[in-house]
Structure formats: structure tokens, C-alpha cells
């Protein structure tokens, strides 16, 4: 049996048989007779579908790559066919549910609710932390944003907007939306930092050049100059003069490097906290001086991140006339799990 024949046969399975097989697995085999389900499908393709669905929990328990992913890599259309409709799911005391969907031509607006039904892990600062995945059967662009939060029932509502590329009408039968983690209870900090940072700026700091750069931000004064090409040396952490304005953020060094002011900040455990921020200066006239550009690089464990903020200020400048400010976002509340909903491409209004 060639690949195309298998794909065509499974694509012709009636949706209700797939649903029955899925319910059999969810009920641990109770109330359903496996042989009866297979007889009702009466096709080899249905048997293949049933065996696939039954194998998912067994493979997962054994620590093997989930069967759905394996099948999706080989027969993506078939995999979507086999996935049963499921408008809600629950894991780790968190419930995710499809509230409504409006599909029109090449666009779709879908509202998803996430609710903590056992604790207090969701608030108005919930952030899906770029962990969400949208799996349609077509090429598209998608966006997800928080649009509402109900503090009484601890429920956050997100709007998912999908647009089919090249103005093609949205086709297919199902869309799957999944997340595996989210952040909540973020804290914002925007204050003047200790004046000791600028007082202790070194004109001959200890530097390093072999760092694992992971990105840069800000705008260079000269747009034709790549910061990664122009910056050759970075500060080394100065433990004696380190300063932590808020948990998860530490100013680790400050000094003049290659004729410019460098101030280094360490963000702790960014892969689990998304701690981030920026620095800026104010002069005696309250004018804001932004950094020219910032370059980030990993710590040795690749868990925390250093950010080197570079200001176009020379060592001849009197820093007594400036005040350093920090604008930081920190979080220490990460919730992990496995939430996935699959819904038909049609208008839904619950």
C-alpha cells in the first residue's frame, strides 16, 4: 500500500468514528467495545486510525515522541483528520475553552478562555510567553492577544486572529490551538537607580570578548554600522559594585569601553521568567538620554541573560549631572502544562 493510498483511505473516514475512538481512549476503554468500533468502520483505514489513536497514550507513557507528531510529519492532512473535535481541555487545574469563532473568507477571529479552577495562578498580567501554537491546514499569519480578564472567576480571554495568505479563503475542517506554559503576576519597575552606579563607573574596566551573543536592540546613530561589528569588548561582571534594584535584575558592571559608556545588567532565569527591561539616563534638565544600542548574551548555563547597554557618552563627560533609570519587567510565576483544543473551521458562539 503506497503512501498516497493510505492518506486517501484515512481521509475518507467518517468523523464520528474518529470521535468514538477518541472517546474510547479518554474513557480508558470503559463503555466501549474495541472490536465493535472497528467493525463499524468496516475499512482498513478506520482500523489504522483507531490503532493510531489508541497508541498515543501508550507511546507518551513510554517517553516516546507522541504518535500524533510522528504521523503529522508524514501525513499532515491525515493527522488533522484523525484529531477529534475538542472545544475544551483541562490540565494542572487550568481549563482552556473555545468561546467563539467567526470565520469569514480569508480571516478568522477566535476567542479562547483560560481559567484557573483550582487556585490563583491567573491574573490580568497573564502572558502566554510565546508558547502558543496554531496548527491550521494552510499557510497563514496569526496573532494572539489578551482582551479581557475576569478577576471573580480568574479567567483570561484571548483573541486569536488568523489570516490566510494571498487572500485565499480559509479551507479545511479543523484548527488546533495549544499552549504548554504561561506567566502571570508580572511586576513593573520604573525608578531611578542608585547613584553609586554612575559614581563607580570605571575608566579601565575588565572586559571580555568571547561571549555568546543572542541579539541586539536599540538604534545605532549610524544606520550603516552593525553594532555586532563595532562592539568588540564587553564588561566582565564586577561583584564588588553589583546592585539589584528588584528581584531577578542586577546591575553587574559599568565602565567606559572603546570610548563609550557601557552599563551591564543581568536578567535571571529568562527562559522561565521573561525578565527584561532597559536603562536610560536623565540630565540635570530632565532630558532623557536613551542608550545607543544594547547587546545581549547568555550566561555560561544559557539560562540567564546579560544585556550591555551602550551610551554615546565619552569618559570626558561628568556623570554627576546624570541620573540612571531602570525600566524592568519581572516575573516569578510560571505555570506549565499541556492544553490543546481542536475546533471546526466554522462560526461558533457558545
Amino acid at each position: 500500500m503506497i503512501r498516497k493510498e493510505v492518506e486517501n483511505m484515512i481521509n475518507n473516514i467518517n468523523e464520528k468514528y474518529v470521535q468514538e475512538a477518541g472517546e474510547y481512549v479518554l474513557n480508558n476503554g470503559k463503555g466501549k467495545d474495541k472490536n465493535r468500533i472497528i467493525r463499524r468502520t468496516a475499512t482498513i483505514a478506520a482500523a489504522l486510525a483507531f490503532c493510531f489513536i489508541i497508541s498515543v497514550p501508550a507511546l507518551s507513557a513510554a517517553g516516546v515522541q507522541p504518535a500524533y507528531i510522528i504521523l503529522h510529519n508524514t501525513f499532515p492532512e491525515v493527522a488533522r483528520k484523525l484529531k477529534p473535535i475538542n472545544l475544551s481541555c483541562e490540565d494542572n487545574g487550568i481549563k482552556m475553552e473555545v468561546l467563539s469563532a467567526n470565520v469569514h473568507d480569508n480571516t478568522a477571529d477566535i476567542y479562547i478562555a483560560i481559567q484557573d479552577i483550582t487556585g490563583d495562578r491567573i491574573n490580568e498580567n497573564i502572558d502566554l510567553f510565546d508558547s502558543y501554537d496554531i496548527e491550521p491546514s494552510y499557510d497563514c499569519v496569526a496573532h494572539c492577544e489578551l482582551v479581557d480578564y475576569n478577576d471573580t472567576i480568574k479567567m483570561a480571554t484571548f483573541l486569536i486572529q488568523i489570516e490566510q495568505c494571498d487572500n485565499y479563503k480559509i479551507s479545511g475542517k479543523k484548527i488546533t490551538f495549544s499552549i504548554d506554559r504561561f506567566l502571570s503576576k508580572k511586576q513593573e519597575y520604573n525608578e531611578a537607580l542608585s547613584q553609586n552606579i554612575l559614581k563607580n563607573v570605571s575608566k579601565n574596566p575588565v572586559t571580555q570578548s568571547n561571549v555568546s551573543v543572542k541579539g541586539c536592540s536599540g538604534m545605532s546613530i549610524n544606520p550603516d554600522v552593525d553594532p555586532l561589528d563595532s562592539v568588540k569588548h564587553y564588561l566582565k561582571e564586577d561583584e564588588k559594585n553589583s546592585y539589584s534594584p528588584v528581584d531577578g535584575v542586577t546591575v553587574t558592571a559599568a565602565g567606559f569601553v572603546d570610548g563609550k559608556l557601557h552599563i551591564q545588567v543581568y536578567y535571571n532565569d529568562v527562559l522561565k521568567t521573561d525578565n527584561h527591561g532597559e536603562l536610560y539616563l536623565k540630565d540635570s534638565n530632565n532630558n532623557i538620554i536613551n542608550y545607543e544600542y544594547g547587546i545581549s548574551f547568555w550566561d555560561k548555563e544559557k539560562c540567564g541573560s546579560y544585556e550591555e547597554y551602550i551610551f554615546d557618552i565619552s569618559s570626558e563627560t561628568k556623570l554627576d549631572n546624570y541620573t540612571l533609570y531602570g525600566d524592568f519587567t519581572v516575573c516569578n510565576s510560571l505555570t506549565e502544562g499541556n492544553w490543546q483544543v481542536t475546533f471546526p473551521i466554522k462560526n461558533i458562539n457558545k
Side-chain angles (χ1 to χ4, degrees):
M1 186 178 295
I2 64 175
R3 171 192 174 109
K4 190 63 178 177
E5 290 176 336
V6 173
E7 186 170 1
N8 289 336
M9 292 177 68
I10 298 181
N11 272 329
N12 289 324
I13 303 173
N14 191 302
E15 291 284 345
K16 68 179 181 179
Y17 299 143
V18 177
Q19 186 71 29
E20 287 178 0
E23 291 174 355
Y24 177 87
V25 175
L26 293 175
N27 293 326
N28 296 318
K30 297 178 182 178
K32 294 285 182 180
D33 182 85
K34 177 172 63 175
N35 294 325
R36 181 171 65 85
I37 293 175
I38 296 178
R39 286 198 303 272
R40 286 182 62 186
T41 60
T43 65
I44 296 175
L48 288 172
F50 179 80
C51 291
F52 162 71
I53 295 173
I54 292 297
S55 71
V56 171
L59 289 173
S60 297
V64 181
Q65 184 184 24
Y68 175 77
I69 296 177
I70 297 173
L71 188 64
H72 186 272
N73 290 335
T74 308
F75 300 107
E77 292 297 328
V78 172
R80 281 186 283 270
K81 169 75 175 179
L82 294 179
K83 184 169 288 188
I85 298 297
N86 185 15
L87 297 182
S88 67
C89 64
E90 182 183 330
D91 186 32
N92 196 15
I94 302 291
K95 180 181 179 181
M96 185 167 76
E97 181 178 17
V98 179
L99 296 181
S100 66
N102 180 22
V103 181
H104 179 69
D105 292 333
N106 70 319
T107 64
D109 291 338
I110 302 140
Y111 287 89
I112 299 283
I114 301 176
Q115 181 181 17
D116 191 343
I117 57 179
T118 63
D120 187 23
R121 292 163 291 178
I122 293 178
N123 71 348
E124 67 277 7
N125 293 322
I126 184 173
D127 182 350
L128 298 187
F129 201 18
D130 293 331
S131 75
Y132 68 87
D133 182 64
I134 301 172
E135 184 190 288
S137 57
Y138 43 84
D139 292 332
C140 68
V141 292
H143 174 68
C144 177
E145 65 174 320
L146 177 69
V147 294
D148 183 62
Y149 173 71
N150 188 320
D151 186 56
T152 303
I153 58 176
K154 305 299 179 185
M155 185 173 78
T157 302
F158 290 86
L159 169 61
I160 306 164
Q161 295 180 305
I162 301 174
E163 182 177 353
Q164 169 83 327
C165 295
D166 299 322
N167 289 319
Y168 286 118
K169 185 177 180 180
I170 290 179
S171 61
K173 294 185 177 181
K174 304 170 186 175
I175 295 175
T176 295
F177 178 82
S178 61
I179 63 174
D180 57 23
R181 55 182 175 165
F182 63 83
L183 295 170
S184 56
K185 302 183 179 179
K186 286 189 171 184
Q187 296 179 335
E188 305 289 337
Y189 179 96
N190 191 345
E191 302 286 345
L193 304 183
S194 171
Q195 281 296 109
N196 288 331
I197 298 172
L198 296 182
K199 287 181 179 179
N200 294 326
V201 170
S202 174
K203 292 188 177 182
N204 296 291
V206 179
T207 62
Q208 57 185 327
S209 57
N210 186 23
V211 299
S212 179
V213 173
K214 65 187 188 72
C216 60
S217 60
M219 295 295 293
S220 172
I221 292 177
N222 185 350
D224 297 325
V225 176
D226 185 347
L228 298 182
D229 291 334
S230 60
V231 179
K232 303 299 182 182
H233 302 94
Y234 302 88
L235 296 169
K236 271 198 171 183
E237 188 170 344
D238 181 1
E239 294 182 1
K240 292 182 178 180
N241 293 310
S242 65
Y243 166 74
S244 178
V246 62
D247 287 345
V249 178
T250 304
V251 179
T252 49
F256 290 100
V257 180
D258 298 328
K260 294 188 177 183
L261 174 62
H262 287 222
I263 303 178
Q264 186 185 93
V265 176
Y266 177 71
Y267 297 100
N268 183 58
D269 208 6
V270 294
L271 298 179
K272 292 184 178 180
T273 64
D274 194 32
N275 291 340
H276 62 277
E278 60 183 11
L279 300 178
Y280 60 95
L281 295 165
K282 283 187 178 181
D283 63 19
S284 56
N285 294 319
N286 219 31
N287 296 314
I288 294 177
I289 296 91
N290 291 311
Y291 61 93
E292 187 177 5
Y293 39 79
I295 299 177
S296 59
F297 53 93
W298 292 108
D299 62 10
K300 292 181 180 180
E301 292 75 24
K302 290 193 174 182
C303 295
S305 175
Y306 290 93
E307 186 93 13
E308 193 117 341
Y309 299 96
I310 302 169
F311 294 85
D312 189 24
I313 295 177
S314 72
S315 59
E316 304 302 320
T317 304
K318 292 184 179 181
L319 296 179
D320 294 344
N321 297 324
Y322 292 89
T323 301
L324 180 65
Y325 283 78
D327 185 1
F328 306 120
T329 299
V330 296
C331 181
N332 60 5
S333 180
L334 173 69
T335 302
E336 297 179 298
N338 182 22
W339 301 277
Q340 185 178 99
V341 287
T342 298
F343 47 95
I345 299 180
K346 65 179 183 179
N347 292 343
I348 301 172
N349 190 8
K350 297 189 68 177

